[in-house]
Amino acid sequence: MALPMIREILAQVFKIPATNPFPARFLPPSVTEFLKKVGAGEATINPPVATPPRFRGKIVYDRDGCIGCNLCIRVCPAHAIEFIPETKRVRIYVTQCIFCSQCNDICPKGVLTMSPEFLLGTEDRFAESQIVE
Amino acid sequence: MNETILTPQELIDRFTRTFGDLVSDPRIQIRAEGAKKNPNTNIWMTITRDILKPAISMLKEISYPHLSVISGWDVGEELRMQYIFSIYFGERHGEYMVIFTVPLTKGDLVLPTITDIMPGALFTEREKQEMFGVTITDIPDGRRLFLPEDFPEGVYPLRKDETGIPDTMVKHLWEVGRPTNRPVPPVTEKEEEPKDDPEEKTVKNKENPSPEAEAKTDE
Amino acid sequence: MSDGTPTKKAPYVVPIGPIHPALKEPVQFLFEMEGEVVKKADFAPGQTHRGIEWMGMHRNPVQIVHLTDRICGICGVTHSLAFARAVEQIVDIEVPARADYIRVIIAELERIQSHLLWAGVAAHELGFDTLFYLAWRVREESMDVIEYITGNRINYGLVQVGGVRRDIVPDQHPTIKKCLDGYRDLLGKMLNLFLNDTTISIRCKDTGLLTFEKALELSCVGPTARASGVVKDVRVDYPYSAYGDLDISPILPSAYGGGINGDVYDRIVVRLLEVAQSVEIIETCLKEMPDGPILWESKLPKLLSACKKAHGEAVGRHEAPRGECLHYVAMDGHEAPAMWKVKASSYSNLHSWIPMLEGEQLADVPIIVASIDPCLSCTDRVAVLRGVKRDLMTKEDLHRLSVEKTRRIQGC
Amino acid sequence: MLSMDVILVTILAAGALSIIGIVVGLILLGIDRRISARMQARIGPPLRQPFIDLKKLLSKENIIPENAIPSLFNAAPIVALASSIVVLLYLPIGSMMPILGGYGDLILVMYLLAVPALAMVAGGFASGSPYATVGAQREMVSMIAYELPLASIVIAVAWLLYSSGIADPFALSSIVANPIWSLVGPIGMVGLFVLLLTFAWVSPAELSKIPFDTPEAETELAGGVLVEYSGKNLGLFTIAQGVKTLVMGGLAVAIFFPWNLSPLLGLAGYAALAVDAVFFFAKVILLMILSVTVIRTGLARFRITHVVTLFWVWFGVAGLFGLSLVILDSVLAGWF
C-alpha cells in the first residue's frame, strides 16, 4: 500500500500555511466599528493582496472630457451605460458593468478608465457608490 | 475504413458523383493561421434531406466521422440545418471539417434521426426539436433537453419568425428598477474643478497603463 | 461484499442534483439502484438556462466576445477564441501572427489551471480533501500569471475579433517563466501523489469505463476521448492559431506506461500529462513569438462596420481543456449575427455518462460524473425568463421571513 | 450494599466527568481540525471553533422531515450521546479508577461502543431520506466489519491477563494496573504491536472518519445518516462525536499506554490525580492525531466494499495474527 500523501502532510505541518489571512484575525462583533477603528489607527488589519497592473476594477469616468459620441454604449455587452440626453453625457451602473473595459478601448477621448477598486459589494443595486456619472 | 486519404476536392467529387444534383454548392474553405500559415480545411456542401443518411454513411465509409453538433439557421423562408462533422482526426494537420447543410421549408420541418448511425447525435437532435421546432422522426428519446417543463409549447427560441420568442417573454433585466428621476450632473466643458462625485478627482492616470511600468512598481 | 452489504432486491431511486455536494454543476441525475449498484442512470441538464445564444443574436460581435467570456467561468478564453475565429473567417480578417501566439499562450495557461482545478475536484470527490487543497494551491500560480497578463483571474477579456487586446511584453516573461519552472518541478510530485496513491488507484482503476468504440460512437471529445484511446486533439489535427506552428502530439494514457483502459484513472493521467505539455507549449510560444501588431484593426468602429458588411457562415473551433469547443456563426449584413450556435466541450461528453455509470457503485458516481470534467454552464445555454408559475421572493420578503423566524426561535 | 454517600459521590463524579468529557471531546475535535488544516497548508479554525459551532447548533430549531419517524428520529442523538458518556465513565482517567468500574468490564464497553453507531443507524432509517437510508445501511456494514479486529484485540488482552493469573481479566482496572507490555516476551511484543496498529485503524472507522466515512460520504450521500439532522439534534451528535473521540483515545491509552507520571514524579493525592489526568489527555491527543488526523488527512475515502475487505480480510488477519502471537508468547513462556 503506497500512501505518498502521508509523507507530504507530515512535512507540511511544520511549514507556514499558504492561505491569505483574513483582514481581521477573528470576526469582529461589528465590522463597521472595526473598520472605523482601523481608520482611526486603533486596530490593524492584514492588508489585502495587491491587484495586478492590468486589473479592471470599478470604472472611472471623466465627465468633462466626454463628447457624448455614444460609442461606449454601442459596445457595452451588458447595457450598463445609459445616455443622458440633456447634457449629452453617460451614466454607468456599476452593478451591471461586467468589467470588460471595452468602452475604455473604444472611447475616442479616453475619458473612461478602470480603477483598481474592487470592494464593490452592496445590497442596493442603485446606491450612490454604484452609479458613475 | 479506407486507408487512402482523399483530398478535399476528391471528397466532394465522390459525393457529387454518387448523389448527383442532390449535392449542391460545394465549397472548400481553407484558412491559414499562425506564423507558418499551415492551412486548415473546411468543406461545405448543401444536400437534400433524402440523402442525409446515405451521405453520413458514405462519410463513415471514408473515415469514422466525429459529429460536433447539428446547428440551424432560420433564414426566413427556410430553415437550414448544418450537420457539422470532422473526419481524419488523429492525422497531424490532416483533419477536415465536413459540414452538410440541409435546407428545410418552413411547412415541412421534418428530419430523419441519425442516431442509428451516429448514436452521439441524440443530444443535439433533442435540442433541435425544442429550439427550432423540427420534428426528428424515430428519435429514441424525444424529451426536452434544455428547456424547462413549463416552457410553452410552440415557442422555439432560435426561430426568427412568429414562433420565436415573443417580446412578452423577454424581460430586460438591466432596465428593471433603474432610477428615472435622478438629477443630471452638471458638466463643465474642459475645466478641471472638484465635483460632487469623488471619483472625478482620481482621474489622473490615463487608460491602459503600460504593464511594464506598473509591473516594476508592483514587484 | 457478499455477506455484509444489505441487498435490497427492489430497486430504489436515488436522485442526485440539481443541487448536491457531489455536483459542482447543476444537473439532475436519477439513479435506479439495486443495493449499492447503479442499474439505470438518467440525467436532465438544462437547470440553468441563460439564453446566451439568444442574447448574442441581439448584439454585435464586439459585445458577444465579452458575452462568450462569461459562458463559462473556467474556460475564460475558449469560447471567445472559438467565436472570434468564426467571425474572422466570415469577415475575412487575417489575425496578426503575434496575436495568434498570445492566444495560444493564454489558452494553454487556461488548460493548466482548468486541469488542476479538475484534479482538485476529482480528489475532493474521492474524499481526498488534502489533495484537493494541494491541487488548488498549485493552481493559484497559473491564476496569478493569467491575472498578471490579462488583468483579471477569470473573464480575461483578452480576445478580440481580429487579435488580442493586450500584449505580452518582454518584461513579463520572467514572471511567466518562473511559474512554468515551478510547474515543471511540481509535476513529478503531482504525478506521484495522484497516480501512486493506493487509495486513489483502487477507487479509479476500472471505474467508469468508456470503451474506444463507445467514445467514437458518442463523439466524445478532449481528455475523455483520449483516455479511451480516440486520437483526437483539435490542436494537432486542425492547425489553427499558432498551434499549426508547434510540434505537438495528442496525449494518450499509454504515455504514462500503462495501457489504454478508458477508466477514471486514465483520465487523470491524460489531464496531468497535458499540464506538462501545456508548460512546454507556452515556453515555445514565448520564445518564438514574432513581432508585430496584436490587432487586425485597433479602431473598433472600423471593425464593427466590417462585421456589419459581412455575409456568410463559418465554424470556429478550439481545443478547450475539456475538448473541442465549436461556435457556428452566420452573418447576414446586420450588426448582430443571424445565428450563433455554441457547442461547448461538455455537450459532446455528457452522453458518455450513461455507459460509464451503469453497473457502477453509488460511491463511484461522483468521481465518474466528475471524470469527464463536465461544465454545464457551458452546455446549458438557451433560456427565456418568465415569471409565471414561480414563487418569486424579493430580498425584502426573505429578510422579513428570516427576521420572523429568528424572533420565533428566540421567543421574543 | 451501597451506602447513600457512595451513590451520591458517584453521581456527582459522573456528572463532573461527563462535563469534562464533553469539553475535552470538543477540544479534541478542534485540535483535529486545526492540525488537519495545517497538514493541508491552511490556517484552520481556532481551537474553540467546535464550541462556537455547537452554540450555534443548539440555538437552532430541530427540523423533522415529513416522512420521518419523529420519536426514533429525536431519540437517536440522545441515545448516541448518553451511551458515549457512559463508556467514558467506565474508562480510567490517569490514575483515577473508573467511576463505574465496579459494574462492568471491557466486554460491556465494547457493546456500549456499538450503541452510538446503532443510534445513528436507527436515526438514519427514521429520517425517511434515501441518502440517510443508504448511509444507515453502510453504517451497519462497516460496524459489522470493524467488530472482528476490535474483538481480537479485546480477546488478546484478556487472554494475556488471564494467562498471567490476574483476577478479573476483562476489568479495565486490572488492565490498567498491569501494563500489558510487561506481561509478554519479545514475540508477544510483536503481537501487541500488530494489535496496536490494528486498533489505530479501527479508531477512525469507529469514529466514521475518512477513509471510513462511507456512511456520511459528503460527496455522494451529502452527509448520509446525518443528512436530515439539524439544529439541536445535530448538536447532540456533534457532542457525541467529541466524546466518542475521547473514548477511543482513552481506550487505546488504557489498553496500550496505561503508564502514569505521578509515580515517576513522586506525587500523591490530588496532585497525582491532576497530573495523571493531564498526562492522560495529552496521550489521548497524541494518539488521536496519529491515528485519526493523519489517516483522515492523508487518504481518500474507501468504497464500502473496500471497508469490508480491509477489515474482514486485512485487519481481521492482522488482529488474529497479533492474537496468536500473544498466545504463542504466553504458551512459550509457560514452557520455559
Side-chain angles (χ1 to χ4, degrees), chain D residues 2 35 66 85 102 110-111 123-124 135 142 156 163 182 225 257 295 308:
Chain D
L2 293 165
I35 302 267
E66 264 176 29
I85 289 181
M110 291 297 131
Y111 274 111
S142 50
S163 60
S182 61
V225 277
F257 307 99
I295 290 179
V308 175

Side-chain angles (χ1 to χ4, degrees), chain D residues 18-225:
Chain D
S18 309
I19 292 166
I20 294 174
I22 289 171
V23 171
V24 174
L26 289 176
I27 293 175
L28 272 178
L29 293 186
I31 293 175
D32 170 55
R33 285 172 66 173
R34 182 86 177 181
I35 302 267
S36 172
R38 283 309 175 96
M39 287 173 173
Q40 293 167 339
R42 294 185 290 127
I43 294 173
L47 285 185
R48 61 192 160 95
Q49 188 64 41
F51 294 92
I52 301 169
D53 292 351
L54 185 67
K55 189 181 152 199
K56 180 150 189 174
L57 283 176
L58 292 183
S59 73
K60 297 221 164 205
E61 70 175 333
N62 282 325
I63 292 169
I64 299 162
E66 264 176 29
N67 42 358
I69 308 163
S71 52
L72 206 54
F73 185 79
N74 287 326
I78 299 171
V79 173
L81 178 59
S83 54
S84 346
I85 289 181
V86 171
V87 186
L88 188 67
L89 302 183
Y90 280 100
L91 285 186
I93 311 276
S95 51
M96 190 171 75
M97 279 297 113
I99 295 170
L100 297 179
Y103 312 98
D105 54 16
L106 199 54
I107 303 287
L108 181 69
V109 168
M110 291 297 131
Y111 274 111
L112 282 173
L113 269 181
V115 176
L118 281 173
M120 272 169 99
V121 170
F125 277 125
S127 303
S129 145
Y131 294 126
T133 312
V134 176
Q137 289 171 2
R138 290 187 181 178
E139 177 79 57
M140 276 194 328
V141 173
S142 50
M143 209 163 65
I144 296 166
Y146 62 68
E147 285 301 328
L148 174 69
L150 196 59
S152 49
I153 296 167
V154 172
I155 294 169
V157 172
W159 166 270
L160 204 56
L161 268 64
Y162 171 72
S163 60
S164 312
I166 292 160
D168 282 343
F170 278 108
L172 272 161
S173 45
S174 36
I175 294 174
V176 175
N178 305 283
I180 46 175
W181 304 93
S182 61
L183 302 177
V184 289
I187 299 175
M189 286 277 190
V190 175
L192 283 179
F193 192 70
V194 171
L195 290 176
L196 176 62
L197 282 184
T198 310
F199 193 86
W201 281 84
V202 170
S203 300
E206 184 83 53
L207 299 171
S208 280
K209 294 277 190 188
I210 288 176
F212 309 108
D213 71 334
T214 34
E216 282 161 37
E218 183 233 334
T219 48
E220 64 228 45
L221 294 183
V225 277

Side-chain angles (χ1 to χ4, degrees), chain A residues 79-108:
Chain A
H79 300 282
I81 309 178
E82 185 179 74
F83 189 63
I84 308 173
E86 288 95 324
T87 50
K88 293 201 170 58
R89 294 295 183 270
V90 295
R91 178 180 289 147
I92 303 144
Y93 292 93
V94 178
T95 40
Q96 288 160 1
C97 175
I98 61 169
F99 304 95
C100 62
S101 83
Q102 195 65 65
C103 50
N104 297 192
D105 289 7
I106 202 167
C107 183

Side-chain angles (χ1 to χ4, degrees), chain C residues 273-300:
Chain C
L273 292 182
E274 281 188 12
V275 172
Q277 187 186 36
S278 294
V279 171
E280 297 304 322
I281 293 178
I282 299 169
E283 291 240 301
T284 318
C285 285
L286 282 177
K287 219 179 292 159
E288 294 178 359
M289 192 156 59
D291 289 330
I294 55 166
L295 270 173
W296 171 72
E297 175 57 73
S298 56
K299 297 228 170 18
L300 285 173

Side-chain angles (χ1 to χ4, degrees), chain B residues 7-27:
Chain B
T7 63
Q9 192 55 50
E10 282 169 359
L11 190 108
I12 288 176
D13 288 347
R14 200 150 153 190
F15 275 89
T16 43
R17 214 167 41 234
T18 316
F19 299 111
D21 287 349
L22 300 174
V23 176
S24 55
D25 190 26
R27 60 200 161 89

Side-chain angles (χ1 to χ4, degrees), chain C residues 359-381:
Chain C
E360 293 290 344
Q361 295 235 334
L362 181 63
D364 291 328
V365 166
I367 183 64
I368 295 174
V369 168
S371 72
I372 70 162
D373 201 357
C375 186
L376 293 162
S377 308
C378 303
T379 313
D380 292 352
R381 282 151 297 96

Side-chain angles (χ1 to χ4, degrees), chain C residues 230-241:
Chain C
V230 178
V231 190
K232 179 164 178 27
D233 187 334
V234 182
R235 296 177 295 171
V236 182
D237 303 337
Y238 183 87
Y240 69 98
S241 274

